[in-house]
Amino acid sequence: MSAIDGLPPLREVIATHELRAKKNLGQNFLLDLNLTSRIARVAGDLSQTDVIEVGPGPGGLTRGLLAEGARKVLAIEKDSRCLPALAQIGAAYPGRLEVIEGDALKIDPLAHLTPPIAICANLPYNVGTELLLRWLTPEVWPPFWQSLTLMFQKEVAERIVAQPGSKAYGRLAILTQWRAEARIALHLPPEAFTPPPKVSSAVIHLTALPEPRFPADLKVLERVVATAFNQRRKMLRSSLKGLTPAIEDHLTAAGIRPTDRAEQIPLEGFCALARSLATV
Ligand code: SAM
Protein backbone atom coordinates (compact mmCIF):
# COMPACT_ATOMS: atom_id res chain seq x y z
CA MET A 1 0.00 0.00 0.00
CA SER A 2 1.21 3.53 -0.73
CA ALA A 3 1.37 6.07 2.05
CA ILE A 4 -0.37 8.83 0.08
CA ASP A 5 -3.58 6.97 -0.79
CA GLY A 6 -3.57 3.33 0.35
CA LEU A 7 -3.55 2.14 -3.27
CA PRO A 8 -0.96 -0.37 -4.53
CA PRO A 9 2.50 0.98 -5.49
CA LEU A 10 2.79 1.89 -9.18
CA ARG A 11 5.26 -0.89 -9.96
CA GLU A 12 2.64 -3.37 -8.78
CA VAL A 13 -0.12 -1.59 -10.77
CA ILE A 14 2.01 -1.81 -13.92
CA ALA A 15 2.74 -5.51 -13.34
CA THR A 16 -0.90 -6.38 -12.52
CA HIS A 17 -2.29 -4.63 -15.60
CA GLU A 18 0.66 -5.60 -17.84
CA LEU A 19 1.35 -1.98 -18.81
CA ARG A 20 4.54 -2.52 -20.77
CA ALA A 21 5.53 0.96 -21.97
CA LYS A 22 4.81 1.67 -25.64
CA LYS A 23 7.26 3.98 -27.40
CA ASN A 24 4.76 5.16 -30.03
CA LEU A 25 2.54 6.55 -27.25
CA GLY A 26 5.46 8.37 -25.61
CA GLN A 27 5.11 6.22 -22.49
CA ASN A 28 7.73 7.07 -19.87
CA PHE A 29 6.03 6.60 -16.53
CA LEU A 30 6.66 8.34 -13.22
CA LEU A 31 6.53 5.72 -10.46
CA ASP A 32 7.56 7.82 -7.45
CA LEU A 33 4.43 9.19 -5.80
CA ASN A 34 6.46 11.68 -3.74
CA LEU A 35 7.65 13.14 -7.04
CA THR A 36 4.19 13.20 -8.62
CA SER A 37 2.81 14.93 -5.51
CA ARG A 38 5.61 17.46 -5.82
CA ILE A 39 4.64 18.14 -9.45
CA ALA A 40 1.01 18.51 -8.37
CA ARG A 41 2.09 21.10 -5.78
CA VAL A 42 3.77 23.16 -8.53
CA ALA A 43 0.25 23.72 -9.85
CA GLY A 44 -0.65 25.43 -6.53
CA ASP A 45 -3.83 25.05 -4.48
CA LEU A 46 -6.24 23.02 -6.61
CA SER A 47 -8.95 22.52 -4.00
CA GLN A 48 -11.32 24.85 -5.87
CA THR A 49 -10.10 23.87 -9.34
CA ASP A 50 -10.95 21.24 -11.96
CA VAL A 51 -7.80 19.77 -13.51
CA ILE A 52 -7.34 18.34 -16.99
CA GLU A 53 -4.65 15.68 -17.12
CA VAL A 54 -3.55 14.51 -20.55
CA GLY A 55 -2.12 10.98 -20.62
CA PRO A 56 -2.56 9.67 -17.06
CA GLY A 57 -1.08 6.27 -17.98
CA PRO A 58 -1.01 4.06 -14.86
CA GLY A 59 -2.01 7.12 -12.80
CA GLY A 60 1.06 8.34 -10.92
CA LEU A 61 0.41 12.03 -11.50
CA THR A 62 -3.36 11.48 -11.23
CA ARG A 63 -2.81 10.12 -7.73
CA GLY A 64 -0.52 13.02 -6.87
CA LEU A 65 -3.15 15.53 -8.00
CA LEU A 66 -5.97 13.85 -6.08
CA ALA A 67 -3.88 13.34 -2.93
CA GLU A 68 -2.88 17.02 -3.05
CA GLY A 69 -6.57 17.95 -3.05
CA ALA A 70 -7.62 18.72 -6.64
CA ARG A 71 -11.39 19.30 -6.69
CA LYS A 72 -11.76 17.08 -9.76
CA VAL A 73 -9.41 15.48 -12.29
CA LEU A 74 -10.52 14.86 -15.86
CA ALA A 75 -8.00 12.42 -17.31
CA ILE A 76 -7.78 11.83 -21.08
CA GLU A 77 -5.92 8.64 -22.03
CA LYS A 78 -5.44 7.08 -25.45
CA ASP A 79 -4.23 3.68 -24.23
CA SER A 80 -7.21 1.55 -23.18
CA ARG A 81 -4.88 -0.81 -21.26
CA CYS A 82 -4.63 1.89 -18.56
CA LEU A 83 -8.36 2.17 -17.89
CA PRO A 84 -8.68 -0.57 -15.20
CA ALA A 85 -5.83 0.96 -13.18
CA LEU A 86 -7.47 4.40 -13.47
CA ALA A 87 -10.84 2.95 -12.42
CA GLN A 88 -9.21 1.70 -9.23
CA ILE A 89 -8.02 5.25 -8.48
CA GLY A 90 -11.51 6.62 -9.20
CA ALA A 91 -12.96 4.19 -6.66
CA ALA A 92 -10.55 5.49 -3.99
CA TYR A 93 -11.63 9.11 -4.71
CA PRO A 94 -15.40 8.89 -5.29
CA GLY A 95 -16.76 11.57 -7.63
CA ARG A 96 -13.38 13.25 -8.16
CA LEU A 97 -11.90 11.40 -11.13
CA GLU A 98 -13.43 11.21 -14.59
CA VAL A 99 -11.57 9.30 -17.29
CA ILE A 100 -12.12 9.77 -21.01
CA GLU A 101 -10.58 7.23 -23.35
CA GLY A 102 -9.37 8.94 -26.52
CA ASP A 103 -6.95 11.25 -28.25
CA ALA A 104 -6.42 14.54 -26.40
CA LEU A 105 -5.88 16.25 -29.76
CA LYS A 106 -9.44 15.39 -30.76
CA ILE A 107 -11.37 15.76 -27.51
CA ASP A 108 -12.97 18.96 -26.26
CA PRO A 109 -12.99 18.50 -22.48
CA LEU A 110 -14.83 21.68 -21.54
CA ALA A 111 -18.31 20.18 -21.30
CA HIS A 112 -17.03 17.99 -18.45
CA LEU A 113 -15.59 20.79 -16.33
CA THR A 114 -16.48 23.70 -14.10
CA PRO A 115 -14.15 26.73 -14.03
CA PRO A 116 -11.64 27.56 -12.72
CA ILE A 117 -9.66 25.04 -14.75
CA ALA A 118 -5.97 24.10 -14.63
CA ILE A 119 -4.04 21.69 -16.84
CA CYS A 120 -1.39 19.43 -15.37
CA ALA A 121 0.30 16.68 -17.35
CA ASN A 122 3.37 14.59 -17.94
CA LEU A 123 2.78 14.98 -21.65
CA PRO A 124 3.47 12.43 -24.30
CA TYR A 125 6.44 14.07 -26.04
CA ASN A 126 5.04 13.48 -29.51
CA VAL A 127 2.00 15.72 -28.92
CA GLY A 128 3.25 18.05 -26.16
CA THR A 129 4.28 21.05 -28.25
CA GLU A 130 1.16 20.88 -30.40
CA LEU A 131 -1.08 20.87 -27.34
CA LEU A 132 0.83 23.75 -25.74
CA LEU A 133 0.49 25.85 -28.91
CA ARG A 134 -3.23 25.13 -29.07
CA TRP A 135 -3.70 26.17 -25.44
CA LEU A 136 -1.73 29.37 -26.10
CA THR A 137 -3.43 30.41 -29.33
CA PRO A 138 -7.21 30.53 -28.89
CA GLU A 139 -8.85 33.42 -30.76
CA VAL A 140 -10.20 34.88 -27.51
CA TRP A 141 -8.06 35.66 -24.47
CA PRO A 142 -8.09 34.94 -21.50
CA PRO A 143 -8.33 31.21 -22.25
CA PHE A 144 -10.43 28.57 -20.48
CA TRP A 145 -7.44 27.58 -18.32
CA GLN A 146 -5.78 29.52 -15.51
CA SER A 147 -2.50 27.63 -15.34
CA LEU A 148 -0.53 24.94 -17.15
CA THR A 149 1.89 22.65 -15.31
CA LEU A 150 3.57 20.53 -17.95
CA MET A 151 6.48 18.15 -18.35
CA PHE A 152 8.65 18.70 -21.40
CA GLN A 153 12.03 17.64 -22.68
CA LYS A 154 14.52 20.02 -21.06
CA GLU A 155 15.37 21.60 -24.43
CA VAL A 156 11.71 22.39 -25.13
CA ALA A 157 11.24 23.82 -21.62
CA GLU A 158 14.27 26.06 -22.24
CA ARG A 159 12.76 27.26 -25.53
CA ILE A 160 9.55 28.19 -23.71
CA VAL A 161 11.27 30.48 -21.17
CA ALA A 162 14.10 31.68 -23.47
CA GLN A 163 15.06 35.36 -23.64
CA PRO A 164 16.24 37.36 -26.69
CA GLY A 165 19.85 36.78 -27.67
CA SER A 166 19.84 33.07 -26.89
CA LYS A 167 19.76 30.19 -29.37
CA ALA A 168 16.65 28.79 -27.69
CA TYR A 169 14.70 32.03 -28.30
CA GLY A 170 12.04 31.72 -30.98
CA ARG A 171 8.39 31.14 -31.79
CA LEU A 172 7.65 29.08 -28.66
CA ALA A 173 9.15 31.71 -26.30
CA ILE A 174 7.31 34.57 -27.99
CA LEU A 175 3.88 32.95 -28.19
CA THR A 176 4.17 31.75 -24.59
CA GLN A 177 5.52 34.92 -23.01
CA TRP A 178 3.12 37.16 -24.93
CA ARG A 179 0.14 35.70 -23.08
CA ALA A 180 1.51 33.94 -20.02
CA GLU A 181 3.97 34.10 -17.14
CA ALA A 182 6.33 31.15 -17.61
CA ARG A 183 8.97 29.51 -15.44
CA ILE A 184 10.80 26.23 -15.14
CA ALA A 185 9.71 24.77 -11.80
CA LEU A 186 11.55 21.43 -11.65
CA HIS A 187 14.33 19.58 -13.47
CA LEU A 188 14.11 15.78 -13.75
CA PRO A 189 16.85 13.38 -14.81
CA PRO A 190 16.04 10.48 -17.19
CA GLU A 191 16.14 8.04 -14.25
CA ALA A 192 13.00 9.62 -12.77
CA PHE A 193 11.04 7.76 -15.48
CA THR A 194 10.40 4.11 -16.32
CA PRO A 195 11.70 3.39 -18.89
CA PRO A 196 14.20 6.29 -18.79
CA PRO A 197 14.05 8.49 -21.92
CA LYS A 198 17.28 9.54 -23.68
CA VAL A 199 16.88 13.17 -22.59
CA SER A 200 16.43 15.16 -19.37
CA SER A 201 13.05 16.70 -18.60
CA ALA A 202 11.66 19.77 -16.87
CA VAL A 203 8.31 20.83 -15.48
CA ILE A 204 7.18 24.25 -16.62
CA HIS A 205 4.51 26.32 -14.93
CA LEU A 206 2.52 28.88 -16.92
CA THR A 207 -0.04 31.31 -15.59
CA ALA A 208 -2.39 32.92 -18.10
CA LEU A 209 -2.12 36.73 -18.09
CA PRO A 210 -5.47 38.55 -17.99
CA GLU A 211 -4.52 40.13 -21.30
CA PRO A 212 -1.51 39.79 -23.63
CA ARG A 213 1.57 41.75 -22.55
CA PHE A 214 1.44 43.99 -25.67
CA PRO A 215 -1.38 44.56 -28.17
CA ALA A 216 -1.12 42.59 -31.43
CA ASP A 217 -3.33 40.52 -33.68
CA LEU A 218 -2.65 36.82 -32.99
CA LYS A 219 -2.66 35.71 -36.63
CA VAL A 220 -0.36 38.54 -37.77
CA LEU A 221 2.02 37.98 -34.84
CA GLU A 222 2.15 34.23 -35.54
CA ARG A 223 2.95 34.85 -39.22
CA VAL A 224 5.63 37.46 -38.51
CA VAL A 225 7.34 35.33 -35.89
CA ALA A 226 7.19 32.11 -37.95
CA THR A 227 8.60 33.92 -41.00
CA ALA A 228 11.32 35.71 -39.02
CA PHE A 229 12.59 32.57 -37.27
CA ASN A 230 12.30 30.38 -40.35
CA GLN A 231 15.55 32.03 -41.47
CA ARG A 232 16.82 33.14 -38.08
CA ARG A 233 20.37 33.88 -39.26
CA LYS A 234 19.23 36.36 -41.92
CA MET A 235 18.68 40.08 -41.39
CA LEU A 236 14.98 40.85 -40.91
CA ARG A 237 14.79 43.07 -43.98
CA SER A 238 15.67 39.97 -45.97
CA SER A 239 13.85 37.19 -44.05
CA LEU A 240 10.61 39.23 -43.91
CA LYS A 241 10.63 40.76 -47.37
CA GLY A 242 8.04 38.22 -48.56
CA LEU A 243 5.47 39.78 -46.19
CA THR A 244 5.49 43.16 -47.98
CA PRO A 245 7.89 45.05 -50.28
CA ALA A 246 7.79 47.92 -47.76
CA ILE A 247 9.14 45.76 -44.92
CA GLU A 248 11.99 48.18 -44.10
CA ASP A 249 9.48 50.96 -43.40
CA HIS A 250 7.47 48.70 -41.11
CA LEU A 251 10.57 47.56 -39.25
CA THR A 252 11.64 51.15 -38.71
CA ALA A 253 8.13 52.15 -37.61
CA ALA A 254 8.29 49.34 -35.04
CA GLY A 255 11.61 50.62 -33.71
CA ILE A 256 13.57 47.69 -35.20
CA ARG A 257 16.77 48.09 -37.24
CA PRO A 258 16.22 46.36 -40.61
CA THR A 259 19.67 44.79 -40.27
CA ASP A 260 18.79 43.08 -36.95
CA ARG A 261 18.18 39.34 -36.80
CA ALA A 262 15.07 37.67 -35.33
CA GLU A 263 16.96 36.37 -32.31
CA GLN A 264 17.77 39.94 -31.13
CA ILE A 265 14.20 41.28 -31.12
CA PRO A 266 12.29 41.33 -27.82
CA LEU A 267 8.62 40.38 -27.62
CA GLU A 268 7.61 44.04 -27.55
CA GLY A 269 9.35 44.61 -30.93
CA PHE A 270 7.57 41.69 -32.61
CA CYS A 271 4.22 42.98 -31.29
CA ALA A 272 4.96 46.50 -32.59
CA LEU A 273 5.86 45.01 -35.98
CA ALA A 274 2.66 42.92 -36.03
CA ARG A 275 0.65 46.10 -35.29
CA SER A 276 2.35 47.97 -38.11
CA LEU A 277 1.85 45.06 -40.55
CA ALA A 278 -1.80 44.57 -39.54
CA THR A 279 -2.67 47.46 -41.86
CA VAL A 280 -1.02 45.85 -44.91
N1 SAM B 1 1.05 10.53 -16.62
C1 SAM B 1 1.74 9.26 -16.64
C2 SAM B 1 2.97 9.36 -15.77
O1 SAM B 1 3.35 10.49 -15.44
O2 SAM B 1 3.55 8.33 -15.42
C3 SAM B 1 2.11 8.85 -18.05
C4 SAM B 1 2.93 9.83 -18.83
S1 SAM B 1 3.49 9.23 -20.39
C5 SAM B 1 4.86 10.34 -20.66
C6 SAM B 1 2.32 9.87 -21.59
C7 SAM B 1 0.93 9.25 -21.54
O3 SAM B 1 0.11 9.88 -22.55
C8 SAM B 1 0.84 7.77 -21.81
O4 SAM B 1 0.02 7.15 -20.86
C9 SAM B 1 0.21 7.67 -23.23
O5 SAM B 1 -0.54 6.50 -23.42
C10 SAM B 1 -0.66 8.91 -23.24
N2 SAM B 1 -0.93 9.45 -24.59
C11 SAM B 1 -0.11 9.46 -25.68
N3 SAM B 1 -0.68 10.13 -26.70
C12 SAM B 1 -1.89 10.57 -26.25
C13 SAM B 1 -2.94 11.32 -26.83
N4 SAM B 1 -2.87 11.77 -28.09
N5 SAM B 1 -4.04 11.59 -26.08
C14 SAM B 1 -4.13 11.14 -24.80
N6 SAM B 1 -3.15 10.43 -24.20
C15 SAM B 1 -2.05 10.15 -24.91
Side-chain angles (χ1 to χ4, degrees):
M1 293 299 156
S2 299
I4 71 164
D5 53 17
L7 287 162
L10 283 155
R11 252 176 228 294
E12 196 178 310
V13 172
I14 285 174
T16 307
H17 299 284
E18 297 182 31
L19 300 177
R20 199 176 33 81
K22 288 187 179 172
K23 219 175 176 173
N24 64 334
L25 286 172
Q27 292 185 336
N28 301 98
F29 301 132
L30 292 169
L31 303 189
D32 177 352
L33 290 165
N34 291 317
L35 178 57
T36 60
S37 294
R38 209 168 137 206
I39 295 169
R41 287 197 294 277
V42 169
D45 177 6
L46 297 173
S47 60
Q48 306 302 318
T49 302
D50 282 4
V51 182
I52 300 173
E53 187 195 357
V54 175
L61 182 56
T62 321
R63 288 166 65 173
L65 287 163
L66 289 164
E68 289 298 320
R71 180 174 65 190
K72 172 182 171 171
V73 176
L74 175 73
I76 306 171
E77 175 57 61
K78 201 171 176 181
D79 185 353
S80 60
R81 297 179 308 157
C82 300
L83 300 186
L86 296 168
Q88 222 178 352
I89 303 170
Y93 291 95
R96 290 176 57 202
L97 174 63
E98 184 177 343
V99 179
I100 301 180
E101 181 191 350
D103 184 342
L105 291 168
K106 296 186 183 144
I107 287 169
D108 177 6
L110 286 190
H112 302 256
L113 299 166
T114 312
I117 295 166
I119 300 177
C120 186
N122 174 12
L123 289 172
Y125 286 145
N126 45 357
V127 294
T129 312
E130 182 169 348
L131 280 170
L132 174 65
L133 284 169
R134 278 192 199 186
W135 290 326
L136 287 169
T137 55
E139 283 293 327
V140 180
W141 198 264
F144 71 87
W145 52 269
Q146 289 199 327
S147 72
L148 307 176
T149 306
L150 304 172
M151 182 87 69
F152 279 103
Q153 295 181 40
K154 180 171 158 266
E155 285 69 23
V156 178
E158 284 168 352
R159 279 163 49 204
I160 291 168
V161 301
Q163 295 300 310
S166 75
K167 275 207 173 120
Y169 184 64
R171 179 168 167 252
L172 213 45
I174 290 165
L175 291 179
T176 304
Q177 296 169 32
W178 181 46
R179 287 176 149 181
E181 195 74 61
R183 69 184 168 94
I184 292 181
L186 282 177
H187 286 279
L188 280 87
E191 311 81 67
F193 302 84
T194 304
K198 290 203 177 70
V199 292
S200 293
S201 301
V203 175
I204 58 150
H205 184 69
L206 265 70
T207 314
L209 294 170
E211 54 187 277
R213 254 177 242 280
F214 306 102
D217 177 81
L218 168 67
K219 293 284 173 249
V220 181
L221 181 64
E222 278 190 295
R223 196 154 58 95
V224 170
V225 169
T227 314
F229 283 97
N230 203 20
Q231 297 176 298
R232 58 188 300 142
R233 298 249 170 94
K234 284 199 172 171
M235 293 178 192
L236 289 166
R237 69 178 176 204
S238 157
S239 59
L240 295 179
K241 70 171 184 278
L243 296 179
T244 163
I247 191 62
E248 292 213 22
D249 296 342
H250 289 280
L251 285 163
T252 309
I256 298 171
R257 282 190 305 251
T259 50
D260 278 351
R261 290 167 174 80
E263 203 166 281
Q264 299 166 262
I265 308 304
L267 171 60
E268 188 173 6
F270 278 111
C271 291
L273 183 58
R275 288 198 300 277
S276 175
L277 285 167
T279 56
V280 171

